[in-house]
Amino acid sequence: MSLVIVGSVAFDTIETPFGRRSRIVGGSGTYCSLAAGYFTRPRVVAVVGRDFPKSAVAFLKARGVDLGGLKVRAGKTFHWEGRYEKDPNIRRTVRTDLNVFKDFRPEVPKAYAGAEIVYLSNIDPDGHEFALRQFRKPKLVAMDTIRFWIETKREAILRELGRVDILFANDEEARLVSGELNLIAAGRALVKRGPSLVVLKKGEHGALVFGRGFVFGVLAHPCDHVIDPTGAGDAFAGGFLGYLDQAGRFGRRDIRRAAVYGSVLASFAIEDFGIDRFRTLDRAAIDGRFRDFRKLISF
Ligand code: AMP
């Protein structure tokens, strides 16, 4: 199979109770492709400025990420700054500098157009629409978004929901898009808007997968030190979709296993700042934690 990720490749400035890092490499496409790279060879469509470090490009390539769809444009790379409270589930966006992202129209290379799984990770929803039109007949289309786009481009997001199979959303995003305060009601309302599956990520409380007549819950791996929660959602999606791409099937059992792999990848991403945990993480550690999950939930 083949997985294409349309997303942000970015600089992040992050403050958590464990410290502050300025302009480190991040972005939804970065986290997602690194996580998916343990299962498949993800292909990325994104844009960066000339200031983006060659060493980061080399690292992604070394991790098996295909960067044939990464454009380098004159100007500065997208920059996001976020601050976390003592409760890692509470995050405040301090600033969003769109930079080269401003009028980015993601061009899908011809070699990617036949992709079977497409992930429209967090970027401008108009960019999602533009990208989606360029794929021939994907079997599975998933999307994600963030408060910034829900507040500025709500109509585009609602339109997009009618065109995707899976929505990944955290609790805040699910409430904002659906207008429902209760998460279960929010999940059900979102499924009615189009996607056959809604994956509601609840930070350290795990995730709920809603389908039509189908609900599956997955815990978050118990983690003593959440150093930096950034990218947990994208790593979840990367593990989830990377696993499905490897499995080549989308049955209910595959979806359950994908959700556990998603949770495992998210649990690793938060153990260090930015993408640092991926520098040493290997597949054996991922499979070890997958097995631990079994013990954790069997009774
Ligand atoms: P997550 O923690 O999984 O929600 O994703 C955080 C990542 O999303 C960070 O690495 C940011 O670079 C990226 N990000 C933040 N805001 C935006 C935005 N408005 N558009 C695209 N990517 C963003």
Side-chain angles (χ1 to χ4, degrees), residues 6 11 47 213:
V6 183
F11 283 132
V47 65

Side-chain angles (χ1 to χ4, degrees), residues 8 10 12 26-27 31 78 80 91 122 146 148-149 230-234:
S8 55
D12 290 344
Y31 282 104
F78 172 80
W80 172 80
R91 144 166 113 187
N122 178 20
I146 199 169
F148 181 85
W149 300 117
T230 310
D234 304 308

Side-chain angles (χ1 to χ4, degrees), residues 4-17:
V4 173
I5 297 160
V6 183
S8 55
V9 174
F11 283 132
D12 290 344
T13 296
I14 296 160
E15 200 173 312
T16 83

Side-chain angles (χ1 to χ4, degrees), residues 45-261:
V45 176
V47 65
V48 290
R50 298 232 163 92
D51 54 354
F52 194 71
K54 292 202 171 60
S55 57
V57 171
F59 175 61
L60 285 164
K61 283 187 178 161
R63 284 306 159 125
V65 178
D66 177 336
L67 292 177
L70 180 71
K71 287 251 155 46
V72 182
R73 288 266 155 79
K76 286 187 181 168
T77 298
F78 172 80
H79 172 237
W80 172 80
E81 180 170 348
R83 190 173 298 156
Y84 295 85
E85 305 294 323
K86 288 200 182 76
D87 175 350
N89 295 316
I90 303 179
R91 144 166 113 187
R92 195 163 65 81
T93 289
V94 179
R95 60 189 290 173
T96 300
D97 304 316
L98 293 177
N99 299 335
V100 288
F101 230 56
K102 203 160 192 168
D103 29 42
F104 173 51
R105 287 284 168 265
E107 278 159 33
V108 175
K110 283 211 172 67
Y112 291 12
E116 286 172 314
I117 304 183
V118 174
Y119 182 39
L120 305 166
S121 79
N122 178 20
I123 60 162
D124 183 334
D126 287 332
H128 282 172
E129 247 180 325
F130 184 82
L132 192 54
R133 282 200 294 269
Q134 298 168 63
F135 290 97
R136 280 199 289 277
K137 214 171 179 277
K139 288 187 178 148
L140 191 80
V141 180
M143 70 172 279
D144 186 15
T145 191
I146 199 169
R147 177 186 268 268
F148 181 85
W149 300 117
I150 302 169
E151 285 175 345
T152 56
K153 301 220 167 166
R154 187 180 174 79
E155 285 310 311
I157 287 175
L158 295 181
R159 237 185 1 255
E160 198 185 344
L161 278 176
R163 299 196 180 121
V164 301
D165 304 294
I166 303 183
L167 166 71
F168 290 96
N170 66 22
D171 33 14
E172 178 194 48
E173 293 150 4
R175 287 188 176 110
L176 281 171
V177 177
S178 68
E180 296 280 356
L181 273 183
N182 177 289
L183 266 191
I184 308 299
R188 295 201 199 290
L190 290 168
V191 165
K192 283 197 189 126
R193 286 197 171 266
S196 49
L197 279 184
V198 173
V199 182
L200 281 184
K201 298 164 293 174
K202 304 187 309 123
E204 62 182 335
H205 306 300
L208 277 175
V209 184
F210 282 93
R212 300 198 180 102
F214 170 72
V215 184
F216 176 63
V218 57
L219 289 178
H221 183 264
C223 185
D224 285 352
H225 290 294
V226 179
I227 302 295
D228 171 15
T230 310
D234 304 308
F236 187 106
F240 188 104
L241 297 172
Y243 172 75
L244 286 183
D245 196 49
Q246 185 191 49
R249 294 182 311 253
F250 314 133
R252 285 193 177 172
R253 182 167 182 268
D254 308 303
I255 297 290
R256 287 172 204 266
R257 290 174 72 93
V260 174
Y261 272 116

